[in-house]
Amino acid sequence: MAAVAPAAVRPGPRAWFVLAILCFVYVLNFLDRQLLSILAKPIQDDLGVTDGQLGLIGGLYFAMFYCVLAIPVGWLADRTNRVKVLSLACGLWSVATAACGMASTYPQLVLARMTVGVGEAGGVPPSYAIISDYFPSGTRGTALGLYNLGPPIGAALGVAFGASVAAAYSWRLAFIWVGVIGLVTAAVVWICVREPRKGGLDVPPAGDRGMHVDEPAPGFRETFKAFFANPVLRGMSLACGATQFITYGVLNFTVLLLMREKGMTLEEVAVWYALLVGVGVAGGMILSGRLIDRLAKRSRTAYAYIPAVGLALAIPLFAAFVWADSWQLAMVFLFLPTGLNYFYLSPAVTLVQEEVRPNQRVLSGALLLLVMNLIGLGLGPTYLGAASDFFMATHPDNSLQMAFYTLIPFYVLAVAMFLMLARTIRRQAEQEARP
């Protein structure tokens, strides 16, 4: 486990500059990923795809490459220059995003989205590790919480930008413009971000050679076994996977639900849903990061209790959002769950970065994402799209609403898994305290 850096060590202006650049890269990462769901209605009208096909392309097909390739990319980044890996990945997914706007058939769109997944596999894990080497322990929860503003900002910008461009021009132009912006950003990362010393802000306990930062990175097998042999890391990964099953399913189909079944237009989506996503999710990210930095010092069970409480509070409000018969009322009920659903991410990322050795951080972050995204990203949208197709025969006017109702039991499952994780963390702490 990483030792806490001295209280005197504080991140300087350079660290905050790098954090801002990496956060913007994450914004583009998530914006590229969410454009498909934001523009689902015009894409369906143009290419004639079903809800189930949209679920597959936004879920399983994308996740197969995004999740699996994150492992070798993480292994490579732990041994090479993480900044260059991130820059090259950003360039690749940006080219693939532009290619999505040129697809004229469903198979072509699938191929382009799979390539986006290949590129995005090299985005988040290297960034987690770079940030952890710019910010000392005790500030990482806040730093990673700010970095994790990438998804809400990306989703909000994606909604506002994508819907506006699609309404004024076409959905294809939105993909192409975002791809061009990503290529410019990749060059900025290559030129402006310096590779930090791995573990340079971690102070090893006396006599602990395991924390020496100049030692070569452990092998893939050693890191893999250590990660999944740790019951805390294993439990956190699975609990987050159950949560992302909900969040990715909701993200991929909320715009379609609001437009097709609750009467919202693209222009209204571009304003009101963009604001809701940006403010709601960003608030959840910032608040959970701050809570972790404060409460985890008292008890490490906070890493599990904070997500559990957030999800439990979200359940009745989410049910009311699905029930609402107008988009205005639905937006009122959706605001708080939008933030509460993301109370898990900052605690999860911070726990993994604190729990492992500095030269294992990229691969360990990739392993966390592997489990979370194979379950959540791979299965959540795929399930929800298939459920909507299933209900189409009996509920043709509100098949998506019926599918959304079926996510409520998954909320309960995720809360239970985080409560089990809290018990595991408590037991581990008791074992470590024994003489």
Side-chain angles (χ1 to χ4, degrees):
M1 182 185 304
V4 177
V9 178
R10 289 290 181 266
R14 181 75 188 179
W16 294 107
F17 172 72
V18 169
L19 179 62
I21 292 178
L22 296 185
C23 186
F24 185 71
V25 174
Y26 201 7
V27 167
L28 290 178
N29 179 298
F30 213 80
L31 195 160
D32 291 355
R33 194 183 313 173
Q34 291 304 307
L35 269 182
L36 182 74
S37 61
I38 294 161
L39 302 177
K41 187 65 168 58
I43 290 173
Q44 277 191 328
D45 294 342
D46 191 358
L47 300 183
V49 298
T50 67
D51 289 354
Q53 288 176 318
L54 279 175
L56 283 170
I57 196 174
L60 186 60
Y61 294 160
F62 180 91
M64 283 191 302
F65 289 87
Y66 176 71
C67 299
V68 175
L69 287 178
I71 302 305
V73 169
W75 178 87
L76 176 66
D78 272 330
R79 285 158 175 76
T80 58
N81 188 299
R82 297 165 295 184
V83 172
K84 291 183 178 179
V85 169
L86 174 63
S87 177
L88 292 171
C90 182
L92 176 59
W93 83 59
S94 298
V95 170
T97 298
C100 290
M102 302 174 188
S104 58
T105 64
Y106 180 71
Q108 289 176 359
L109 186 60
V110 169
L111 180 60
R113 293 304 292 174
M114 286 180 170
T115 309
V116 171
V118 172
E120 291 192 4
V124 178
S127 297
Y128 284 159
I130 293 168
I131 292 169
S132 295
D133 283 332
Y134 270 103
F135 290 82
S137 182
T139 65
R140 285 177 189 149
T142 297
L144 289 167
L146 290 172
Y147 172 72
N148 283 327
L149 291 177
I153 296 174
L157 286 178
V159 172
F161 174 80
S164 298
V165 172
Y169 302 101
S170 74
W171 64 269
R172 296 179 182 281
L173 197 58
F175 279 99
I176 294 171
W177 283 3
V178 169
V180 172
I181 294 170
L183 285 172
V184 175
T185 304
V188 171
V189 172
W190 186 283
I191 296 169
C192 297
V193 178
R194 299 174 186 169
E195 172 75 2
R197 187 186 180 204
K198 295 177 182 178
L201 297 180
D202 292 298
V203 179
D208 183 2
R209 285 186 39 77
M211 287 297 301
H212 286 194
V213 298
D214 294 327
E215 294 180 354
F220 170 81
R221 182 175 297 180
E222 179 183 346
T223 302
F224 186 93
K225 289 176 64 177
F227 185 94
F228 288 105
N230 186 322
V232 171
L233 297 182
R234 187 172 64 244
M236 176 62 86
S237 301
L238 292 171
C240 289
T243 307
Q244 284 199 339
F245 186 95
I246 301 164
T247 59
Y248 272 116
V250 170
L251 270 178
N252 275 267
F253 283 99
T254 293
V255 172
L256 191 58
L257 174 69
L258 290 170
M259 290 183 64
R260 197 171 73 193
E261 299 183 12
K262 298 188 186 294
M264 211 171 189
T265 66
L266 263 178
E267 291 82 0
E268 289 164 343
V269 167
V271 177
W272 299 111
Y273 184 63
L275 286 173
L276 182 145
V277 170
V279 175
V281 181
M285 296 288 191
I286 294 173
L287 180 57
S288 61
R290 296 290 293 174
L291 287 172
I292 280 297
D293 278 342
R294 288 178 176 271
L295 300 181
K297 296 175 183 177
R298 305 176 190 175
S299 172
R300 294 177 70 242
T301 56
Y303 288 111
Y305 280 131
I306 289 173
V309 171
L311 290 170
L313 293 174
I315 294 174
L317 294 167
F318 176 78
F321 151 70
V322 179
W323 163 83
D325 58 0
S326 69
W327 70 262
Q328 293 92 339
L329 185 59
M331 296 283 282
V332 171
F333 286 126
L334 183 60
F335 178 72
L336 283 178
T338 298
L340 294 170
N341 281 353
Y342 288 88
F343 265 36
Y344 74 97
L345 191 53
S346 294
V349 173
T350 305
L351 176 64
V352 171
Q353 297 298 303
E354 295 278 357
E355 190 81 7
V356 303
R357 294 161 58 180
N359 53 10
Q360 293 178 301
R361 281 181 175 147
V362 182
L363 182 52
S364 296
L367 290 170
L368 171 70
L369 293 176
L370 171 70
V371 178
M372 291 197 311
N373 290 324
L374 276 179
I375 298 172
L377 178 58
L379 301 180
T382 304
Y383 163 80
L384 201 59
S388 179
D389 283 353
F390 173 80
F391 285 115
M392 186 66 72
T394 55
H395 297 78
D397 296 328
N398 64 332
S399 63
L400 261 178
Q401 180 188 43
M402 298 303 297
F404 267 68
Y405 275 127
T406 67
L407 290 177
I408 294 175
F410 291 100
Y411 268 103
V412 178
L413 174 63
V415 171
M417 293 179 72
F418 276 114
L419 293 178
M420 292 172 60
L421 174 62
R423 185 173 62 179
T424 301
I425 293 174
R426 189 181 303 111
R427 287 178 177 174
Q428 186 184 74
E430 291 171 352
Q431 293 174 356
E432 291 175 352
R434 291 172 187 166

